[in-house]
Amino acid sequence: MPRDKSIARRGPPWPDWAVAGFLITVIAIIFGQTLWFDFLTYDDAWLVSGNRLVNRGLTVDGISAAFVSGPAGEWYPLSMISHMLDCQIFGLSAWGHHLTNLVLHAATTIGLFLVLRNMTGELWPSALVATLLAIHPQHVESVAWIAERRDVLSGLFFVLTLAAWLGYVRHGCRLDRYLLVALVFTLGLMSKATLVTLPPLLMLLDYWPLGRFGQAAETTGGAERKSLGWLAVEKLPLLALAVGDCVLTVVTHIGDTTGGRSFTERLAGAVVALVEYLRQAFYPAGLSAFYPTPAGGYPAWKIAGSVALLAAITIAALAWRRGCPYLFVGWFWFVGTLVPVLGFLTISAHAMSDRYMYLPQIGLSIAVVWGATRLVAGSVQRRYALGGCTVLVIVALVACAAVQTTYWHDDLRLWTHSLAVTGSNGIGERALADALNRAGRRQEAIEHYRRAIEWGFDPQAMNNMGLALAGEKRFLEATDQFRALLQFDPNSLSAHTNLGLVLAEQGKDDEAAEHYRQAITLNRHLVKPHYGLARLLAKQGRSEEAIAEFEQVIALAPHIAGPHADLAAELVRLGRTDEAIARYRQALQFAPHDAALQNALDRLLKTKTLKQ
């Protein structure tokens, strides 16, 4: 099928270059500051900086693990591999990882502009929708948080899939074009599972602006009309890919997918969240890294009001679908792409998250921008008024987004702000306590751990509070904390290990050794209990047993200097001088500037020489 000349892009190409330059500029203004931000402990640590499979760069083991199992119950191997590639190029210099997020976000916004421009033939509405994606404060989390690479990477493949679909429609629905759509869509699914909603979204775009339905409404698409059944069958291979990705996500998930809530509770949470997302889209105040689910659920009036508002908008979108198809498409784009993250299946305690709006908000922007454009059509004065309002909105959003980005500078700032916005909650209190503990402010951390525990059983908060108490030399209180944790969870590895630590500090060696051994029984591949037991045995003068445990530690963690040095000391005690010298030399390979190690080796060499 020859390309319809009526849908060709109008005018010279320079406006496209100008829009692209503007998008890059505003993104740099907002997110350029992230190049000076470090990794967060909040997910960045276990996903990237502290994940050995990732931070070693591109390795066979790492790539294999990315495809075999999914972290946090999600299968997104391409996003994991992108983190590995960053580590290969930048190491653990956080600025490089932030730069990649920034570049991907810029590419996604420019790609969205070009796709909408080519689909609709309209420059300024397309530019404004892309600008809202670039600058809206709701999207700060997706860009400023290294761990959310999956948002910006999947976003890029999302717009590339739309571009490939446009090429498929405009070039006679050829098989090679369809295969390209399927390939890019698959890469998107491998970046983030939420792209499973893309096949139904393509049906919406077939309605408007592509105009492929047999009786389509206002359209600039100029594409060949098809029956509804043909258009549905056409999406089946893509739908099969989406279903396969859903299966992989469920299979790799560990734990309850209901969040401990009934379907009715989850449905109520979904409708309230939809309205809150709407509110934040138009009034982006009170954004937070974490939104807790209210204890006891949402009040009935809030649920009823949310249902009424959503129903009214949905009815209006359906009623006006012919005269205002952009409202119909935009609204169902927003609702449909949010369905996977509305809590029907859940893997976290989040009631909602800013990052979930990265792609759904595009639908709202299309509805509002095209709607406003049609309202002012035919009046120069109204067009000027709309232009002035648009400039003010852009300036305000850029300022708000720049401020919102500053909160992602470090964990302490992030969680202080989060609690200020949402009020006290267990997850936020524990996260702030962890940040305070890492900053050396243990007394404040202990108080926030107490508040976290008051919200309900939180093994991580209890364990970390015990460690903070131990750091303050409050060993009796720390012991009580670990014992309380073991009452709730007798098989807690961290509680057994840390209880062994604090008991050893109190001179209760036999009891400490027993807890170390219980931890080893539960998982013999953990370093800390083996190391604690080894040092305890050495302290008791049981050198042969201590040596066996130190060798276990070294087998599990061969690149740490301490176990080599401790093993050397036990070998000296048994008179095995040559073996001790070899161990000291190995220790110095991993800590070459450690003066104490060098002095110990020198003394041992001198003693050996004198004996000879």
Side-chain angles (χ1 to χ4, degrees):
M1 171 182 169
R3 181 174 177 176
D4 189 330
K5 299 299 181 184
S6 68
I7 59 176
R9 188 169 54 197
R10 304 182 183 94
W14 67 262
D16 293 356
W17 289 102
V19 171
F22 172 75
L23 292 172
I24 292 171
T25 300
V26 293
I27 287 171
I29 290 171
I30 296 169
F31 298 109
Q33 60 185 303
T34 62
L35 300 182
W36 284 267
F37 293 4
D38 205 344
F39 291 101
L40 296 173
T41 303
Y42 182 42
D43 281 9
D44 286 353
W46 67 264
L47 193 64
V48 183
S49 58
N51 189 330
R52 289 289 294 165
L53 287 173
V54 174
N55 62 32
R56 290 181 297 173
L58 292 170
T59 64
V60 174
D61 289 346
I63 294 172
S64 174
F67 279 95
V68 170
S69 61
E74 290 186 65
W75 186 79
Y76 41 84
L78 204 60
S79 293
M80 296 300 295
I81 291 170
S82 77
H83 286 303
M84 296 175 197
L85 181 59
D86 272 359
C87 291
Q88 186 76 31
I89 298 171
F90 304 111
L92 290 179
S93 297
W95 70 268
H97 299 254
H98 282 295
L99 178 64
T100 300
N101 275 19
L102 192 152
V103 169
L104 287 171
H105 181 54
T108 300
T109 58
I110 293 170
L112 177 66
F113 161 65
L114 294 174
V115 166
L116 291 177
R117 171 86 152 107
N118 281 278
M119 278 188 176
T120 66
E122 298 190 48
L123 171 64
W124 296 116
S126 303
L128 185 51
V129 169
T131 300
L132 291 173
L133 174 62
I135 68 173
H136 200 284
Q138 277 183 309
H139 303 150
V140 167
E141 180 172 291
S142 296
V143 185
W145 189 12
I146 291 173
E148 273 310 305
R149 168 68 50 77
R150 51 198 161 178
D151 277 348
V152 288
L153 185 61
S154 65
L156 179 59
F157 285 114
F158 176 86
V159 296
L160 289 176
T161 304
L162 298 187
W165 186 254
L166 180 61
Y168 164 76
V169 169
R170 296 258 175 94
H171 291 84
C173 301
R174 290 170 12 202
L175 178 61
D176 59 336
R177 292 277 179 173
Y178 192 92
L179 292 176
L180 178 61
V181 173
L183 173 62
V184 182
F185 177 48
T186 300
L187 294 174
L189 292 173
M190 292 166 63
S191 303
K192 190 171 184 179
T194 50
L195 262 63
V196 295
T197 58
L198 214 159
L201 176 60
L202 294 179
M203 289 287 285
L204 289 174
L205 295 176
D206 282 345
Y207 183 72
W208 180 90
L210 296 178
R212 301 182 70 210
F213 276 60
Q215 294 181 333
E218 172 204 334
T219 178
T220 56
E224 182 181 352
R225 303 296 176 92
K226 303 285 186 180
S227 69
L228 178 61
W230 194 96
L231 293 173
V233 170
E234 181 186 45
K235 310 299 186 300
L236 288 180
L238 301 178
L239 190 61
L241 290 171
V243 170
D245 190 71
C246 290
V247 171
L248 282 169
T249 298
V250 172
V251 166
T252 56
H253 175 64
I254 300 173
D256 181 18
T257 57
T258 67
R261 296 182 297 158
S262 68
F263 179 78
T264 303
E265 290 173 320
R266 284 178 279 145
L267 181 61
V271 297
V272 172
L274 275 170
V275 172
E276 183 62 14
Y277 283 130
L278 269 176
R279 194 274 302 168
Q280 291 180 344
F282 290 97
Y283 181 62
L287 303 181
S288 172
F290 178 76
Y291 300 95
T293 301
Y298 296 98
W301 66 266
K302 194 167 190 176
I303 297 170
S306 298
V307 170
L309 178 60
L310 295 174
I313 298 174
T314 301
I315 291 169
L318 289 169
W320 297 339
R321 67 185 182 279
R322 294 190 178 279
C324 306
Y326 38 83
L327 298 181
F328 171 78
V329 170
W331 175 248
F332 285 100
W333 178 322
F334 164 69
V335 175
T337 51
L338 270 173
V339 166
V341 291
L342 285 176
F344 297 110
L345 292 177
T346 181
I347 58 172
S348 72
H350 292 262
M352 51 186 287
S353 290
D354 295 348
R355 62 185 179 274
Y356 295 159
M357 277 291 280
Y358 191 68
L359 297 177
Q361 196 194 73
I362 298 172
L364 283 182
S365 300
I366 287 172
V368 172
V369 170
W370 257 270
T373 301
R374 297 299 185 265
L375 282 175
V376 302
S379 170
V380 175
Q381 291 82 2
R382 280 184 289 180
R383 285 202 299 271
Y384 278 124
L386 178 62
C389 291
T390 299
V391 171
L392 291 176
V393 168
I394 290 173
V395 171
L397 288 177
V398 168
C400 290
V403 172
Q404 184 67 24
T405 302
T406 65
Y407 299 130
W408 290 86
H409 180 274
D410 57 72
D411 292 279
L412 191 56
R413 192 177 304 184
L414 179 67
W415 291 107
T416 300
H417 170 72
S418 180
L419 285 177
V421 167
T422 63
S424 182
N425 61 83
I427 300 293
E429 294 287 0
R430 185 232 295 160
L432 178 57
D434 287 342
L436 290 165
N437 200 12
R438 286 188 296 273
R441 296 161 59 178
R442 282 192 289 260
Q443 292 287 1
E444 295 172 77
I446 290 167
E447 181 56 36
H448 284 282
Y449 283 132
R450 291 191 194 282
R451 294 179 191 174
I453 295 167
E454 287 172 0
W455 280 92
F457 173 59
D458 186 336
Q460 188 175 340
M462 295 175 75
N463 180 70
N464 292 355
M465 180 177 173
L467 290 174
L469 289 165
E472 290 291 291
K473 308 298 183 184
R474 295 160 62 177
F475 296 119
L476 289 176
E477 294 173 78
T479 301
D480 291 341
Q481 194 66 36
F482 293 127
R483 291 192 193 282
L485 176 52
L486 286 172
Q487 286 182 346
F488 283 104
D489 183 6
N491 293 324
S492 172
L493 289 166
S494 56
H496 279 299
T497 301
N498 294 326
L499 181 54
L501 172 69
V502 296
L503 289 170
E505 289 288 344
Q506 298 170 71
K508 300 177 180 179
D509 294 350
D510 292 339
E511 193 178 355
E514 179 59 29
H515 283 285
Y516 284 138
R517 289 192 173 96
Q518 286 188 52
I520 292 168
T521 300
L522 291 167
N523 188 337
R524 61 192 302 269
H525 300 294
L526 293 179
V527 172
K528 284 181 67 176
H530 277 295
Y531 198 19
L533 179 58
R535 299 183 76 172
L536 195 59
L537 292 168
K539 173 186 170 185
Q540 294 173 332
R542 297 158 65 178
S543 296
E544 293 289 356
E545 296 173 77
I547 286 171
E549 285 298 326
F550 282 129
E551 287 174 344
Q552 283 284 339
V553 174
I554 291 168
L556 294 169
H559 304 300
I560 303 174
H564 288 284
D566 290 333
L567 176 55
E570 291 308 299
L571 291 167
V572 169
R573 184 179 294 180
L574 294 179
R576 294 157 63 176
T577 305
D578 290 338
E579 294 176 70
I581 289 171
R583 288 296 180 179
Y584 275 129
R585 283 176 172 157
Q586 283 183 300
L588 283 166
Q589 288 179 5
F590 308 120
H593 304 296
D594 190 317
L597 281 178
Q598 188 62 58
N599 290 336
L601 176 60
D602 291 342
R603 286 194 302 270
L604 196 56
L605 289 169
K606 185 176 179 180
T607 301
K608 181 181 177 182
T609 302
L610 290 173
K611 286 182 178 180
Q612 291 175 344

